[in-house]
Amino acid sequence: MASVMDITTLDNFASQMPPWDSSLSNHLYGLVDIGSNGIRFSISDLSPPRTRLLRCLYRERAAISLFDALNKSPPSGPLAFPSDVITQVSKTVSRFKSIADAYGVPKENMSVFATEAMRRAENAAVMLEAIFQTSGLGVRILSPEVETLFGSMGARSGFTVVNGLFLDLGGGSVQMTYLDSSMDGYEIKAAQTGKSLPFGAAKLINVLERGEVGARDTAVSTLQEGMRTAFAKLQQQFPSLRETQTDPRSSGIDLYLCGGGFRGYGSMLMHADPTQPYPIPAVGAYTVRGSFFGRTKDMRKVNTEYEGKVFGMSKRRRQQFPAIATVVEALIGAVPRIRSATFCSGGSREGALFMKLPEYLREGHPLPLLCRPSNDIKVKAFQSVMTTVQSALPTNFDFSDIPTVFNLGLGPLFVSSIWTRIGEPSDANAAFELHQAIIRDPGAPGLTHLARAVLGLSLAFRWGADFGPIDRPLHLNLQKIVSQSNPEANFWAEYIGVVASLLATLCPAEPDKAEGLKQVVK
């Protein structure tokens, strides 16, 4: 049983949060993240063989701002949680515990952790004791280093490989670190070298809106200097990061941004994206070029003037947007050469789960897990189909910079759909595949917006890509997403789809053995 004052550090997090064990009979895990801007709860299924997908079965967010609660403290007194907030939080955690019980989550698989606001509160022990009494759960307060570890690895969990600057903007603080998944022990190095600045969205907006002019200027200046110092130190520690800023051949660094604040900025960019209506309804894995990311003045104007609902943004996030934009501007001022910015759906809860897994699972390719053949014979049949389609590609052509279903790791998903719904009309199937690609497996790691667009277009052309008026804009906008990566990629998506269509004509029934396909295609 966890003590109500447990502090989780880099030295003890592994022992406090036991690793995943494939031999256990129950692989359900419940996590509660008591953040400064809200309390998030999720239940995830880590059952093999799809463990790496971190499949979420249930999620909920309680809009309880611990940062706002601390700000109600008397100016001359210590920062402390009011008694009504302590009661509200403890009842919320207790309710989450009852939901976990209903799903069958073992108590030993329940974890509750807290971050910046709990670290600062004078009466944090009172809050933690109340939670323990109502729910029976101990709360672990994350050190800034572990908060950086979980946040960065939660963001990293959504991708196959990463190499870039990771930032997490919460309610009370913003973290910056560097991750290169090709390095040995990169996750601990990232946590050890990460920098935390006390300028979360909730905290900063309070200063910008209520502070005196001098206080506002001081806060912004301190934030800007903190960003510059943090990035300069990371460049000293990671030569490969420094080269992205100094090597004339480099196009800059890739940013990976997580936390509610940055996701809010991503939602605003998506709202203003040149591709409209933007076809994929999720900010997770949304990527923009550095030049568009830096248009903070335009985004501030949209936030001020647009009276309607911005998809993905709450009223509270809209109210905090000036602070979010201020953090982004400080980041841009500190990092001159930004190639791209990708917004990540994963956060501390996903990072905590990810760090439970052994390295071979963490670093494995997740996309093949979305479509696992039922047996070894089926695996060979799938591979035979992929090999056959790929054999139609020119061997003397360099595809390294052209995204296709194959180099994006989508081969099994593509092959599994070639013969699906073959009894339905082709035009209906083409429309189905476009829509299926943008909504399927919403939280699947590796299924980026580019990957969804390439998959949807390739499968649509497998069925002839004859769209009705309602689906033509979706088709066009997915092509725009693909063109941003490489203008030639749309041609090859069409080409591969047509090859698959020809293969299905030659072999009307899905081959269940590799030998069956070889007899037809010689």
Side-chain angles (χ1 to χ4, degrees), residues 1-21:
M1 181 174 65
S3 163
V4 295
M5 287 301 291
D6 274 342
I7 305 295
T8 299
T9 66
L10 289 179
D11 293 329
N12 65 20
F13 83 90
S15 61
Q16 287 196 353
M17 305 184 74
W20 175 82
D21 184 350

Side-chain angles (χ1 to χ4, degrees), residues 125-394:
V126 178
M127 170 80 82
L128 303 185
E129 178 64 26
I131 293 172
F132 184 76
Q133 291 300 324
T134 56
S135 68
L137 298 173
V139 180
R140 297 181 175 92
I141 301 178
L142 304 186
S143 66
E145 295 79 12
V146 175
E147 187 176 355
T148 297
L149 173 67
F150 286 175
S152 61
M153 292 304 286
R156 181 265 175 274
S157 71
F159 305 93
T160 54
V161 294
V162 294
N163 184 358
L165 204 62
F166 277 68
L167 292 100
D168 184 350
L169 178 59
S173 60
V174 57
Q175 283 83 36
M176 175 193 292
T177 193
Y178 175 67
L179 280 183
D180 179 356
S181 58
S182 67
M183 297 170 52
D184 293 335
Y186 69 93
E187 64 279 358
I188 298 301
K189 292 177 183 177
Q192 292 172 334
T193 57
K195 312 300 177 187
S196 180
L197 303 174
F199 292 100
K203 184 175 183 179
L204 186 56
I205 196 62
N206 186 58
V207 176
L208 296 179
E209 289 187 342
R210 303 175 188 176
E212 298 179 355
V213 175
R216 293 198 298 268
D217 292 344
T218 298
V220 172
S221 177
T222 304
L223 168 63
Q224 293 171 341
E225 179 59 29
M227 281 283 190
R228 288 192 294 267
T229 301
F231 186 59
K233 289 183 178 179
L234 287 173
Q235 289 184 88
Q236 292 174 359
Q237 292 159 326
F238 297 102
S240 58
L241 173 60
R242 183 172 63 250
E243 289 174 1
T244 66
Q245 305 299 300
T246 59
D247 189 341
R249 296 168 296 179
S250 171
S251 53
I253 187 69
D254 296 317
L255 303 182
Y256 294 86
L257 307 167
C258 65
F262 282 133
R263 282 193 288 270
Y265 190 73
S267 296
M268 190 64 76
L269 289 174
M270 187 184 295
H271 176 78
D273 195 285
T275 300
Q276 290 297 327
Y278 191 80
I280 299 174
V283 74
Y286 171 57
T287 299
V288 298
R289 292 173 177 163
S291 57
F292 187 55
F293 176 73
R295 291 172 53 179
T296 55
K297 290 183 179 179
D298 293 339
M299 299 307 113
R300 286 179 183 269
K301 184 177 180 181
V302 173
N303 187 62
T304 301
E305 298 180 356
Y306 185 72
E307 297 180 356
K309 176 74 167 67
V310 174
F311 175 74
M313 293 192 74
S314 64
K315 291 182 179 179
R316 179 176 175 83
R317 197 68 70 195
R318 291 284 296 272
Q319 182 264 333
Q320 293 177 347
F321 193 79
I324 296 170
T326 299
V327 173
V328 172
E329 288 164 352
L331 171 60
I332 294 169
V335 186
R337 301 174 66 185
I338 298 173
R339 178 169 61 180
S340 71
T342 297
F343 298 88
C344 311
S345 57
S348 295
R349 285 167 300 138
E350 290 80 6
L353 289 174
F354 200 59
M355 290 307 299
K356 286 179 175 291
L357 305 183
E359 183 179 0
Y360 78 91
L361 283 180
R362 293 201 304 264
E363 303 307 317
H365 201 306
L367 288 178
L369 300 175
L370 293 175
C371 178
R372 290 182 61 87
S374 55
N375 53 56
D376 290 342
I377 296 177
K378 194 73 171 177
V379 169
K380 293 179 180 179
F382 263 47
Q383 187 59 53
S384 178
V385 174
M386 284 192 286
T387 300
T388 301
V389 176
Q390 286 179 289
S391 70
L393 297 174

Side-chain angles (χ1 to χ4, degrees), residues 443-501:
L447 208 50
T448 64
H449 287 205
L450 175 61
R452 291 179 182 278
V454 170
L455 179 63
L457 292 172
S458 301
L459 286 172
F461 277 103
R462 177 266 176 265
W463 295 106
D466 185 13
F467 302 110
I470 195 171
D471 292 314
R472 288 171 192 158
L474 174 59
H475 175 229
L476 178 61
N477 288 340
L478 289 177
Q479 285 184 318
K480 289 179 180 179
I481 290 177
V482 173
S483 292
Q484 290 177 6
S485 173
N486 190 306
E488 298 180 23
N490 279 303
F491 168 80
W492 291 108
E494 178 177 351
Y495 179 91
I496 290 172
V498 171
V499 170
S501 179

